[in-house]
Amino acid sequence: IAQFSDANIVTVYNFEVKDSTAYLIMEYVEGTTLERFLREHDGDLTLDVVAHVFSSIAHALEVAHSHNVLHLDIKPANVLINRQGEVKVTDFGLATLADANGTGRAGGGTIGYMPPEQMRSEALDVRCDEWALASLTYEMLVGDNPFFARDLPRAAAAIENAELVLPSLCWDDVEEGIDDVMFYALDPDPAERYATVREFDEELMPYLGDVKAGKAELSRLVNGVDGEGEDEDGEGEPAPAAPRVPFAEHLTPRVMAVVARVVSVAAAALVGAVALVNFPAFGPGVFSNPVFWGLLAAVCVLAAIKPHVGALASFAILGVSLTANGAYAPGILLFLGTVIWWWFAARGSDAPAVAALLGPLSGAVGFAPLSPVVAGSLIVSVARAAATAAFAGLCALALGSLGTSGMIDWNAPMYWDYATMSGAVSAGSNAVADPDAVASAVLSSTGIGAQTQTRLGGMLLKPGTWCVFASWVIAAAAMSALSRWGMSRKVDVAAALVGTVVLVLGVCAAAWAANPASWTPPSTMALIGSIVPGLAGVVLAAVGIPDKIRQ
């Protein structure tokens, strides 16, 4: 159940075993159960409320069924309503995984909400949950559950012989078509029911009310407010303010997916553009070449659909581009590193891809350590977090070899068109637009390949480079290990602080390694470039984003 991340399903954050006790760590829902709500507010029920409750439970079941999970115990006591009027399904205690045929078996159930096939311990499929949802919905519409009984034989007889009240007779503004929909879903024979909960949902919702209005009304009732600003005693006291919804709670799976894809597309576009602009085959008129724009668009589309595939494509193309310009060492290292990292750490997972792509994106403006910080924050596996940080370090080395000779900043505004700048020096002074800028990046006319490889060799020979590289890997691994150990907001904040300290120690160690005899503090830019990403991780942890995204 922990694989689910849906607003209508109570989140399971973790599970532990201590001594002889096994327990779940779950989301706390402040509010009430649907069972208690129906008991206390039976006279306040409206079609809008029914619509909201029904659609929320139906959506939760669709999510579970899409993961081949059957709930098998849908009932009002297992439906929670929080103070914002959100409906959440909980207690998957009887849930089972469906087999290849979509069937499973239950070890129990609740009389009144389980169909005959569940009572007979037969093979069950999604239509079992559909019947339970229909029974619960019928109870909301009619005000009674006719399937209650003292034992299973009587319950089975009640289902087979029940004289059901027509739901349309209980509401003045409901069409008779609702009766057929409900009776289809409540049929004792599963073959006569709707094939899926989605079909049941699509057929019933046109007869119910407005979902948004139902949520607002449900929130008002759960908060104990009756009528226009009056409390339950009718004394006219102002309605209590609804509790502030934590920022992390607004991060629904859809929002998180959109954010991940926006970041991935932006980073993949940057890396892909740098690689393709410098590709020798395109020549000077690269921006007027439709092939260039087609390839760049393809990289962006891949990143939007599957961030991990977009990361593979963009980094691999950059490796090929460097190699094509004669920078064989950084190009081949980057290409092979990309393939190895993707296969072992990022294949099928978006978190490592987003973390790695953030390296060039943030490194373009001097904050490349954001990549290991994000890797440590979002990746639960310590090995994958460390591998992603190591790959981010490899990318930083390759990009730094283009001119800055440093890992924290590769200065994208100056060095994105590295092949053209090298060619300008080779062609003579007349082709140089900005001699000062070019002189700072290219010191000779030996060609981009030789220059880049010389810078990379110089970086690798400096002990300080390895100090920074090691600090990235250690920071990501430590943050991931601490977060996995605690799985709480406070632990995430502590982990981010530890990561920040490790990054700062890395640049300090690099400054010492540059001159062991007379240590001087690292440059201001190096400190800022390490502290700011670390503090960004602290802020994200403080508002609960890493924990939410991990789920």
Side-chain angles (χ1 to χ4, degrees), residues 293-303 313:
W293 291 109
L295 291 174
L296 186 60
V299 170
C300 293
V301 169
L302 288 175

Side-chain angles (χ1 to χ4, degrees), residues 255-273:
V255 171
M256 291 187 289
V258 170
V259 172
R261 279 154 177 77
V262 168
V263 172
S264 299
V265 169
L270 174 64
V271 175

Side-chain angles (χ1 to χ4, degrees), residues 229-305:
E230 294 185 355
D231 62 15
E232 291 179 342
D233 297 326
E235 295 179 357
E237 294 181 2
R244 184 181 63 85
V245 179
F247 175 76
E249 291 302 315
H250 293 289
L251 288 176
T252 63
R254 178 172 297 181
V255 171
M256 291 187 289
V258 170
V259 172
R261 279 154 177 77
V262 168
V263 172
S264 299
V265 169
L270 174 64
V271 175
V274 170
L276 294 172
V277 162
N278 292 282
F279 209 75
F282 287 122
V286 59
F287 293 112
S288 60
N289 192 326
V291 177
F292 164 81
W293 291 109
L295 291 174
L296 186 60
V299 170
C300 293
V301 169
L302 288 175
I305 298 174

Side-chain angles (χ1 to χ4, degrees), residues 137 140 182 265 301 360 531:
T137 307
M140 289 193 292
M182 290 302 304
V265 169
V301 169
I531 293 174

Side-chain angles (χ1 to χ4, degrees), residues 39 64 107 122 139 149 192 216 221 238 252 290 301 326 348 360-361 392 419 489 499 504 546:
R39 185 170 63 247
E122 297 176 355
E139 184 176 349
E192 298 298 323
L221 292 171
T252 63
V301 169
L361 194 62
R489 188 173 302 185
V504 172

Side-chain angles (χ1 to χ4, degrees), residues 162-305:
E163 296 183 1
L164 300 179
V165 176
L166 298 177
S168 61
L169 297 179
C170 301
W171 300 84
D172 293 334
D173 51 353
V174 173
E175 299 178 9
E176 294 180 357
I178 194 174
D179 301 332
D180 290 334
V181 175
M182 290 302 304
F183 295 159
Y184 270 122
L186 287 170
D187 198 291
D189 183 0
E192 298 298 323
R193 300 175 204 150
Y194 295 105
T196 64
V197 171
R198 179 182 292 275
E199 291 184 23
F200 179 31
D201 181 20
E202 293 173 348
E203 291 292 324
L204 186 62
M205 281 303 297
Y207 297 100
L208 301 180
D210 181 80
V211 171
K212 290 185 178 180
K215 180 180 179 181
E217 191 170 351
L218 202 55
S219 175
R220 177 175 61 80
L221 292 171
V222 170
N223 282 289
V225 182
D226 186 22
E228 297 295 331
E230 294 185 355
D231 62 15
E232 291 179 342
D233 297 326
E235 295 179 357
E237 294 181 2
R244 184 181 63 85
V245 179
F247 175 76
E249 291 302 315
H250 293 289
L251 288 176
T252 63
R254 178 172 297 181
V255 171
M256 291 187 289
V258 170
V259 172
R261 279 154 177 77
V262 168
V263 172
S264 299
V265 169
L270 174 64
V271 175
V274 170
L276 294 172
V277 162
N278 292 282
F279 209 75
F282 287 122
V286 59
F287 293 112
S288 60
N289 192 326
V291 177
F292 164 81
W293 291 109
L295 291 174
L296 186 60
V299 170
C300 293
V301 169
L302 288 175
I305 298 174

Side-chain angles (χ1 to χ4, degrees), residues 99-488:
D99 59 20
N101 296 320
T103 61
R105 295 187 181 277
T110 301
I111 289 177
Y113 302 99
M114 59 175 171
E117 66 268 25
Q118 188 171 356
M119 299 180 192
R120 296 191 293 263
S121 298
E122 297 176 355
L124 308 175
D125 59 20
V126 297
R127 293 171 295 185
C128 179
D129 284 340
E130 176 194 326
W131 194 95
L133 174 59
S135 176
L136 182 152
T137 307
Y138 182 87
E139 184 176 349
M140 289 193 292
L141 290 171
V142 177
D144 182 45
N145 187 323
F147 310 119
F148 286 136
R150 288 183 295 176
D151 51 42
L152 289 179
R154 289 185 176 89
I159 294 174
E160 295 289 345
N161 305 318
E163 296 183 1
L164 300 179
V165 176
L166 298 177
S168 61
L169 297 179
C170 301
W171 300 84
D172 293 334
D173 51 353
V174 173
E175 299 178 9
E176 294 180 357
I178 194 174
D179 301 332
D180 290 334
V181 175
M182 290 302 304
F183 295 159
Y184 270 122
L186 287 170
D187 198 291
D189 183 0
E192 298 298 323
R193 300 175 204 150
Y194 295 105
T196 64
V197 171
R198 179 182 292 275
E199 291 184 23
F200 179 31
D201 181 20
E202 293 173 348
E203 291 292 324
L204 186 62
M205 281 303 297
Y207 297 100
L208 301 180
D210 181 80
V211 171
K212 290 185 178 180
K215 180 180 179 181
E217 191 170 351
L218 202 55
S219 175
R220 177 175 61 80
L221 292 171
V222 170
N223 282 289
V225 182
D226 186 22
E228 297 295 331
E230 294 185 355
D231 62 15
E232 291 179 342
D233 297 326
E235 295 179 357
E237 294 181 2
R244 184 181 63 85
V245 179
F247 175 76
E249 291 302 315
H250 293 289
L251 288 176
T252 63
R254 178 172 297 181
V255 171
M256 291 187 289
V258 170
V259 172
R261 279 154 177 77
V262 168
V263 172
S264 299
V265 169
L270 174 64
V271 175
V274 170
L276 294 172
V277 162
N278 292 282
F279 209 75
F282 287 122
V286 59
F287 293 112
S288 60
N289 192 326
V291 177
F292 164 81
W293 291 109
L295 291 174
L296 186 60
V299 170
C300 293
V301 169
L302 288 175
I305 298 174
K306 295 288 185 181
H308 63 94
V309 178
L312 172 66
S314 57
F315 286 123
I317 292 173
L318 180 59
V320 172
S321 175
L322 287 168
T323 305
N325 278 284
Y328 301 110
I332 294 174
L333 282 175
L334 182 59
F335 183 85
L336 293 178
T338 298
V339 174
I340 295 171
W341 161 77
W342 184 84
W343 183 260
F344 290 103
R347 179 167 47 109
S349 178
D350 289 343
V354 173
L357 285 168
L358 275 173
L361 194 62
S362 57
V365 291
F367 300 108
L370 184 61
S371 184
V373 169
V374 172
S377 298
L378 305 187
I379 304 174
V380 177
S381 168
V382 177
R384 290 188 176 186
T388 299
F391 175 68
L394 174 62
C395 294
L397 287 170
L399 292 170
S401 67
L402 297 178
T404 61
S405 296
M407 291 179 61
I408 294 177
D409 172 24
W410 68 278
N411 201 338
M414 181 176 294
Y415 298 117
W416 66 275
D417 195 359
Y418 54 83
T420 301
M421 291 179 65
S422 175
V425 174
S426 301
S429 59
N430 292 334
V432 179
D434 186 352
D436 293 333
V438 173
S440 65
V442 182
L443 303 178
S444 67
S445 58
T446 56
I448 183 63
Q451 298 160 16
T452 303
Q453 294 188 129
T454 299
R455 294 192 193 96
L456 178 62
M459 294 170 67
L460 294 177
L461 291 175
K462 293 178 181 178
T465 299
W466 296 104
C467 292
V468 174
F469 189 94
S471 72
W472 286 23
V473 176
I474 294 171
M479 292 176 64
S480 177
L482 287 172
S483 299
R484 182 183 180 88
W485 170 69
M487 285 288 188
S488 70

